[in-house]
């Protein structure tokens, strides 16, 4: 359930009073970009990093975002305030309007909208079971994977709804059978006391992923290797987990027929992440 009040191009408006033309360019051509941000106890985690990634995604599609990063950060806090939310998920959407129904977007303007919904910090969650997606990730030369765009997640939608019964999510492979990511989260694998994660050539460079690599692993004296990981390697790992803004850190118990044991390292990382995100600091 989304919040009652959204922010749209500089104004707060009621969500039920907003309208969208069926001729909206981004509905037809997948030219929208978005960003998801979490707040914990009223403190927004890595807000500036998310806002900067939104801007980079918008640049890929030629969108104009006429607000500074500070403006967008401040409006996130205002959005929480007007909706009386503390633990929340804030979603930005940047899209082209309905000035041109062809794919060229001539005369279209970029619209910037933000909504929020209650999203409490989760406690220990059930591990995820992943099935290999039917669809493959095309080479990096074929798609802008570093833009958080609706066109990428269209394939996530298809694959998620086509997954085998009994599985929680899918894992994407490349056309050369290397591991990419899940439908919406980065993935890490464990071997002994070391972590391995795919490169981000065919996956979004997640902010939570970077927090794990740059902040959490040094605290726990854990080494991380970023490299291509072949599907045939998966049986050799001791454990695995997903990570993302909404997912936080969630253990993987199974990929197809490959099963992974519970790992103390996943628990330690999850605890460190919880401690980091739940600091009560001022914006």
């Amino acid at each position: 359930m989304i919040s009652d009040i959204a922010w749209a191009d500089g104004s707060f408006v009621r969500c039920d009073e907003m309208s969208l033309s069926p001729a909206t360019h981004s509905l037809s051509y997948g030219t929208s970009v978005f960003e998801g941000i979490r707040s914990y106890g009223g403190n927004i985690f890595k807000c500036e990093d998310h806002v900067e990634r939104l801007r980079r995604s918008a640049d890929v599609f030629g969108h104009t975002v006429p607000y500074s990063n500070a403006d967008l950060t401040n409006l996130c806090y205002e959005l929480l305030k007007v909706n009386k939310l503390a633990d929340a998920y804030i979603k930005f959407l940047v899209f082209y309007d309905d000035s041109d129904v062809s794919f060229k977007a001539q005369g279209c303007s970029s619209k910037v909208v933000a909504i929020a919904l209650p999203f409490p910090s989760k406690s220990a969650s059930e591990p995820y079971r992943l099935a290999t997606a039917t669809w493959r990730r095309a080479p990096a030369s074929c798609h802008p994977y570093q833009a958080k765009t609706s066109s990428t997640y269209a394939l996530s939608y298809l694959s998620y709804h086509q997954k085998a019964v009994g599985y929680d999510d899918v894992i994407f492979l490349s056309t050369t059978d290397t591991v990419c990511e899940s439908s919406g989260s980065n993935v890490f694998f464990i071997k002994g006391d070391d972590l391995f994660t795919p490169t981000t050539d065919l996956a979004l460079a997640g902010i939570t992923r970077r927090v794990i690599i740059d902040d959490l692993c040094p605290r726990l004296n854990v080494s991380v290797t970023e490299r291509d990981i072949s599907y045939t390697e998966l049986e050799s790992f001791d454990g695995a987990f997903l990570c993302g803004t909404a997912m936080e850190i969630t253990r993987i118990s199974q990929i197809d027929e490959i099963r992974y044991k519970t790992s103390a390292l996943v628990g330690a990382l999850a605890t460190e992440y919880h401690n980091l995100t739940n600091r009560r600091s001022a914006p």
Side-chain angles (χ1 to χ4, degrees), residues 3 5 12 39 42 44 74-86 88 90 116:
S3 57
I5 301 173
F12 290 102
S39 71
I44 303 174
N74 289 335
L75 81 86
C76 286
Y77 281 98
E78 288 298 315
L79 188 62
L80 293 180
K81 183 177 179 181
V82 298
N83 285 288
K84 299 179 181 180
L85 293 173
I90 300 167

Side-chain angles (χ1 to χ4, degrees), residues 4-17:
D4 293 329
I5 301 173
W7 181 91
D9 282 319
S11 301
F12 290 102
V13 295
R14 288 191 57 84
C15 290
D16 57 11
E17 294 176 353

Side-chain angles (χ1 to χ4, degrees), residues 8-9 13-29 31-32 93-99 109-113:
D9 282 319
V13 295
R14 288 191 57 84
C15 290
D16 57 11
E17 294 176 353
M18 298 179 68
S19 62
L20 190 68
S21 167
T24 297
H25 183 275
S26 290
L27 283 177
S28 293
Y29 301 107
T31 51
S32 61
L93 184 67
V94 183
F95 61 96
Y96 283 122
D97 65 14
D98 58 356
S99 297
S109 299
S110 299
K111 304 298 183 182
V112 185
V113 176

Side-chain angles (χ1 to χ4, degrees), residues 178-204:
T178 57
V179 176
C180 303
E181 61 182 347
S182 76
S183 65
S185 303
N186 292 123
V187 60
F188 282 80
F189 296 95
I190 303 166
K191 184 177 290 186
D193 295 325
D194 300 323
L195 289 182
F196 299 84
T197 190
T199 67
T200 55
D201 291 342
L202 303 181
L204 186 71

Side-chain angles (χ1 to χ4, degrees), residues 42-79:
N43 181 47
I44 303 174
F45 186 63
K46 296 289 183 180
C47 190
E48 292 186 3
D49 291 347
H50 282 284
V51 165
E52 180 58 34
R53 188 170 67 182
L54 176 70
R55 189 176 300 280
R56 292 196 303 269
S57 297
D59 287 344
V60 171
F61 283 83
H63 286 293
T64 299
V65 180
Y67 308 98
S68 70
N69 288 6
D71 290 337
L72 295 176
T73 298
N74 289 335
L75 81 86
C76 286
Y77 281 98
E78 288 298 315
L79 188 62

Side-chain angles (χ1 to χ4, degrees), residues 14-15 54 57-58 89 108 122-123 139 145 150 160 168-169 175 184 216 224 238 271:
R14 288 191 57 84
C15 290
L54 176 70
S57 297
Y89 188 89
C108 288
K122 67 178 184 179
S123 56
Y145 290 108
S150 58
Y160 180 86
D168 301 295
D169 203 348
T175 55
L216 304 189
V224 184
D238 303 319
T271 297

